[in-house]
Amino acid sequence: MTRAEGHVLSNIMTALPDIVATMSFDPLGGIADLERHLDGMKEQAEALHYPFNRHMVRNELQAATFRIRYPRRVRLLLGPSGALAIEISPLAVAKERETRL
């Protein structure tokens, strides 16, 4: 591959969307509906011809959540190259209802 071809391929790869799965994590129960989320991500990856290694994804999620002691939102992103990103953030807190006196 020439340098110019590599540059064109790089531009194409950056234009492709990430596949995103947003999940809830509980320290006692783990990631809710993990298998369903992984099945969905696998289907999308196959449709877009993205590399997807289910075993590696499970290991990365385990490592990312191992020391978490409170419920969290876990966002998993799979890029066109098969690269993963995992974002952990607090769960959205429902706004307390105002009480009127």
Side-chain angles (χ1 to χ4, degrees):
M1 178 182 309
T2 67
R3 187 174 188 176
E5 290 170 331
H7 183 68
V8 169
L9 182 59
S10 175
N11 285 341
I12 291 170
M13 294 294 280
T14 57
L16 296 173
D18 287 343
I19 298 170
V20 180
T22 303
M23 305 164 277
S24 62
F25 171 80
D26 178 79
L28 298 177
I31 294 175
D33 299 319
L34 177 59
E35 294 307 316
R36 182 179 58 83
H37 287 291
L38 293 179
D39 288 343
M41 184 165 273
K42 180 182 177 192
E43 288 176 16
Q44 291 179 54
E46 287 174 351
L48 293 171
H49 305 287
Y50 291 9
F52 180 77
N53 182 323
R54 185 185 195 98
H55 182 72
M56 180 189 70
V57 171
R58 287 181 64 88
N59 286 345
E60 292 295 327
L61 286 169
Q62 171 65 26
T65 58
F66 182 70
R67 295 193 183 277
I68 297 176
R69 300 292 177 241
Y70 300 100
R72 293 286 184 250
R73 180 181 83 154
V74 177
R75 194 162 177 247
L76 175 64
L77 298 95
L78 176 71
S81 68
L84 288 175
I86 299 172
E87 300 172 351
I88 309 279
S89 60
L91 289 174
V93 178
K95 207 175 188 180
E96 289 185 34
R97 294 177 74 164
E98 292 181 27
T99 55
R100 296 177 187 210
L101 300 175

